[in-house]
């Protein structure tokens, strides 16, 4: 079965498809610091369910951003790390982190104003 990458008019959209979503940025953030085991990621991202973490890791692995290394031990040991392609995202995440830190208060104020205006219209 042939798998094709969804074509979009905008390369930014394609990139965000690969690393966007509710939990993928958190996973990448923690893997950029060090390789991690599954349960370590669960502790670092306490709101993610086991099922969702598994799904997100599989998608990241499928897109070539994450490596999954299984060690034949008892008990079995699996370690996740960023691939070379995943590591190429680190500067992007650094810029996003810096932008977020600079602008989070502005975003929160805008959301508060917008939510207040919705209540006033109701």
């Amino acid at each position: 079965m042939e798998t094709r990458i969804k074509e979009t008019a905008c390369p930014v959209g394609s990139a965000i498809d690969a690393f966007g979503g509710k939990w993928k940025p958190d996973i990448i953030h923690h893997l950029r610091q060090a390789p991690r085991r599954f349960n370590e990621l669960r502790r670092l991202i306490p709101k993610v369910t086991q099922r969702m973490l598994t799904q997100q890791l599989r998608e990241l692995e499928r897109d070539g951003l994450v490596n999954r290394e299984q060690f034949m031990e008892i008990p079995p040991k699996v370690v996740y790390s960023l691939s070379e392609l995943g590591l190429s995202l680190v500067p992007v995440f650094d810029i996003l982190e810096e932008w977020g830190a600079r602008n989070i208060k502005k975003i929160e104020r805008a959301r508060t104003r917008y939510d207040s205006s919705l209540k006033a219209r109701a």
Side-chain angles (χ1 to χ4, degrees):
M1 174 190 241
E2 184 179 333
T3 304
R4 293 182 182 227
I5 295 176
K6 180 175 71 174
E7 291 184 32
T8 63
C10 175
V12 173
S14 296
I16 290 175
D17 281 347
F19 68 79
K22 185 162 185 172
W23 303 111
K24 288 179 186 178
D26 292 52
I27 294 167
I28 292 169
H29 169 75
H30 291 296
L31 292 180
R32 75 181 179 163
Q33 297 168 354
R36 309 279 185 180
R37 294 181 70 177
F38 184 88
N39 284 329
E40 188 177 5
L41 287 168
R42 286 273 326 263
R43 283 190 299 277
L44 291 167
I45 313 168
K47 292 182 181 180
V48 70
T49 64
Q50 181 171 335
R51 180 177 179 200
M52 185 55 68
L53 180 58
T54 298
Q55 178 184 334
Q56 298 283 275
L57 283 165
R58 284 181 181 159
E59 289 176 13
L60 287 165
E61 184 181 5
R62 180 176 183 255
D63 288 339
L65 300 177
V66 166
N67 293 321
R68 179 183 187 274
E69 187 173 5
Q70 185 167 351
F71 297 89
M72 301 314 279
E73 303 175 355
I74 302 205
K77 177 182 174 182
V78 176
V79 175
Y80 295 92
S81 61
L82 290 179
S83 66
E84 186 175 332
L85 183 60
L87 287 168
S88 72
L89 279 172
V90 170
V92 174
F93 272 70
D94 289 343
I95 290 167
L96 286 171
E97 185 175 31
E98 180 184 319
W99 184 89
R102 267 195 336 262
N103 294 292
I104 191 66
K105 290 186 187 215
K106 292 175 187 175
I107 293 167
E108 289 170 352
R109 284 193 301 269
R111 288 177 179 168
T112 299
R113 277 192 311 272
Y114 180 84
D115 293 347
S116 295
S117 73
L118 285 181
K119 288 178 187 175
R121 291 183 214 165

